[in-house]
Amino acid sequence: MELNREHFRAIIFHNFRRGLSRQECFDELNSLYSDKAPSYSTVKNWYNEFNRGRCSIQDESRAGRPKSVVVPEKINAVRELIKQDRHVTYREIEASLDISMTSINKILHEHLSVKKICLRWIPHNLTNAQKKARVDWCKEMLEKYIQGTSKAVYNIYTGDESWIYAYEPETKQQSTVWVFQDEAKPTKVVRGRSTSKQMIACFFGINGHVATVALEQRRTVNSEWYTTICLPEVIGEIRKKQKNRRIILHHDNASSHTSTQTKAFLTERKIELMEQLKSRCSLKAQWAVLSPSINLVAIPEEATAIAIFFLLLILASRRLIENIFPVPPGFQERITIQN
C-alpha cells in the first residue's frame, strides 16, 4: 500500500501522543520508510500544530484563487477582449479578469491559438484589374526590349515627384496585434501623421541614381517648374559626358508631364517617351505591387525581372534623402514616400 501525506500525519500524531520527541519521531519514520519519510521540518511543524491543540490531519480550506481558472467563461472573456482591442496586453487582461499570467498564456496559446505579430505595411491597396494591368504592361515591355537584353534599356530613365514625409513611427512592439489561427495576416496602408514634409523629384537609370530635384518653397508641380528647372537638370546630368545621348523618359501622366509646354520641351530636346500604363497612376503605384516581398498577386516569372529592374530604379537611398531633407536634432525619424 502506498502511503500518502495523511497517513504520515497520522503516524506523527500517534508518536506525539506516545510522548516521543520530534527527533525520535523523525528517526523512527526515517528508519521505517527511508526516503519516502517526511522531512524533519514537516515533523516539527506538525508537532507544533498538535501542541496548539489541533486534532485534524486534513488540509484546512484556504481563501484565494481556485487551482485553475482556465474555464470556458474566462476563455470567452479573453476572446472578447482581443476582439475589442487587438493591441491588448497581458497586464491589461490580468487587471480586467483577475487571472494570473500563466493562465493568460495558457488561454491565449493553447485554447485560443492566437499569436501576436507585427502589421505588414503595403504602399497601396490595388484591385485585381489594376494588378493585372501592371503585369500585362511588364510583359509588353519585356517583349519590346527583348527580355531586358536590348541595349535600349541603358537609355531608359524613370522619375516621379513625391512628398517626403518625416514622422515618429510606431515601435515594433506598438505595431503588434493579436491574430487568431484562421485569420489572414494584417496589413496597414495609412501612415502616421507627419511632422514635416518636402516635395522632391527623383530620377534613375539602369546604372542607378541620376538626379534629385527639390521644390523650393513650392507645394505643387507645374509645367513651368518641370520644364525650366527639373528636366534641364536631369538631362544635363545624363548628357554630361555625351551631349547627344539618346534618352527614353518614363514618367506618369500627371498634368505637368502631359501639358503642351512639356511636350514641346521634350520634342525640342529630342527626348523619347516610353509607353505608359493605360490607367492613370504614379510610378510608385505601378511598381510597388511588383515587389517580391509583397504577396499581393502571383506574378508570372517573366514579369518579375522587369519589375525588379524598375523597382530598383525608383528606390531612393537614405543618404540622398538626408542631404535634401535634414533630420531635426533629437528627433528619431522615419522617412517614407507617399503618393
Side-chain angles (χ1 to χ4, degrees), residues 78-79 81-93 104-105 107-109 112-119 173-181 183-186:
V78 174
R79 181 186 288 110
L81 285 175
I82 292 175
K83 287 182 178 180
Q84 292 171 12
D85 181 9
R86 293 303 178 107
H87 298 276
V88 68
T89 64
Y90 271 69
R91 294 194 180 278
E92 290 170 342
I93 296 174
I104 295 171
N105 184 76
I107 291 173
L108 290 173
H109 299 291
L112 297 180
S113 298
V114 296
K115 55 184 178 179
K116 212 166 192 183
I117 61 175
C118 291
L119 292 173
Q173 184 64 32
Q174 291 171 332
S175 181
T176 56
V177 294
W178 290 108
V179 178
F180 289 96
Q181 193 172 19
E183 291 182 325
K185 292 183 179 180

Side-chain angles (χ1 to χ4, degrees), residues 266-306:
L266 295 176
T267 302
E268 179 185 351
R269 296 296 185 93
K270 298 180 179 179
I271 307 297
E272 303 173 35
L273 282 177
M274 192 174 184
E275 182 182 350
Q276 300 177 6
L277 280 170
K278 295 179 177 62
S279 59
R280 188 181 189 278
C281 59
S282 71
L283 290 175
K284 296 179 297 304
Q286 291 177 29
W287 300 114
V289 70
L290 298 177
S291 168
S293 62
I294 300 176
N295 299 320
L296 296 178
V297 62
I299 302 172
E301 183 178 352
E302 65 268 27
T304 305
I306 191 72

Side-chain angles (χ1 to χ4, degrees), residues 111-323:
H111 294 271
L112 297 180
S113 298
V114 296
K115 55 184 178 179
K116 212 166 192 183
I117 61 175
C118 291
L119 292 173
R120 182 166 58 94
W121 180 83
I122 56 174
H124 298 274
N125 276 331
L126 300 177
T127 65
N128 288 333
Q130 290 173 324
K131 295 173 187 176
K132 184 178 183 302
R134 284 152 179 74
V135 174
D136 292 342
W137 188 85
C138 286
K139 290 180 179 179
E140 292 175 11
M141 294 302 103
L142 281 169
E143 183 179 353
K144 181 175 181 179
Y145 294 102
I146 318 173
Q147 307 299 312
T149 60
S150 171
K151 292 183 179 180
V153 297
Y154 289 90
N155 299 318
I156 297 174
Y157 297 90
T158 182
D160 196 13
E161 304 84 16
S162 294
W163 285 110
I164 303 298
Y165 289 84
Y167 66 100
E168 291 185 7
E170 289 180 328
T171 65
K172 188 172 183 179
Q173 184 64 32
Q174 291 171 332
S175 181
T176 56
V177 294
W178 290 108
V179 178
F180 289 96
Q181 193 172 19
D182 57 345
E183 291 182 325
K185 292 183 179 180
T187 59
K188 59 180 178 180
V189 177
V190 179
R191 268 82 79 186
R193 185 184 298 274
S194 65
T195 58
S196 56
K197 60 181 181 179
Q198 170 74 56
M199 173 70 84
I200 66 166
C202 287
F203 288 81
F204 299 84
I206 194 171
N207 293 320
H209 176 260
V210 173
T212 299
V213 186
L215 277 77
E216 300 295 339
Q217 299 179 347
R218 288 180 180 268
R219 298 190 61 84
T220 57
V221 176
N222 57 30
S223 302
E224 181 182 358
W225 176 85
Y226 196 57
T227 57
T228 60
I229 298 176
C230 181
L231 286 181
E233 182 173 337
V234 174
I235 295 170
E237 286 295 325
I238 296 172
R239 292 177 170 171
K240 184 184 294 184
K241 296 181 179 179
Q242 188 178 349
K243 292 184 178 180
N244 296 322
R245 182 183 179 85
R246 182 189 180 190
I247 298 176
I248 304 173
L249 180 63
H250 182 231
H251 57 191
D252 63 18
N253 55 355
S255 58
S256 58
H257 300 168
T258 57
S259 67
T260 303
Q261 181 177 345
T262 301
K263 289 180 179 178
F265 174 85
L266 295 176
T267 302
E268 179 185 351
R269 296 296 185 93
K270 298 180 179 179
I271 307 297
E272 303 173 35
L273 282 177
M274 192 174 184
E275 182 182 350
Q276 300 177 6
L277 280 170
K278 295 179 177 62
S279 59
R280 188 181 189 278
C281 59
S282 71
L283 290 175
K284 296 179 297 304
Q286 291 177 29
W287 300 114
V289 70
L290 298 177
S291 168
S293 62
I294 300 176
N295 299 320
L296 296 178
V297 62
I299 302 172
E301 183 178 352
E302 65 268 27
T304 305
I306 191 72
I308 296 173
F309 163 71
F310 276 108
L311 182 64
L312 293 174
L313 300 184
I314 294 171
L315 294 176
S317 67
R318 184 183 182 86
R319 180 171 55 83
L320 290 170
I321 293 174
E322 288 179 345
N323 288 339

Side-chain angles (χ1 to χ4, degrees), residues 38-95:
S39 65
Y40 177 76
S41 62
T42 300
V43 173
K44 179 181 176 181
N45 290 337
W46 277 103
Y47 261 71
N48 292 337
E49 291 291 325
F50 297 143
N51 281 326
R52 284 194 289 266
R54 180 172 176 176
C55 297
S56 173
I57 58 174
Q58 304 291 331
D59 287 329
E60 294 180 343
S61 60
R62 292 177 291 178
R65 293 173 177 166
K67 291 183 179 179
S68 176
V69 295
V70 183
V71 293
E73 292 78 9
K74 295 295 184 182
I75 295 172
N76 291 333
V78 174
R79 181 186 288 110
E80 289 303 316
L81 285 175
I82 292 175
K83 287 182 178 180
Q84 292 171 12
D85 181 9
R86 293 303 178 107
H87 298 276
V88 68
T89 64
Y90 271 69
R91 294 194 180 278
E92 290 170 342
I93 296 174
E94 180 187 30

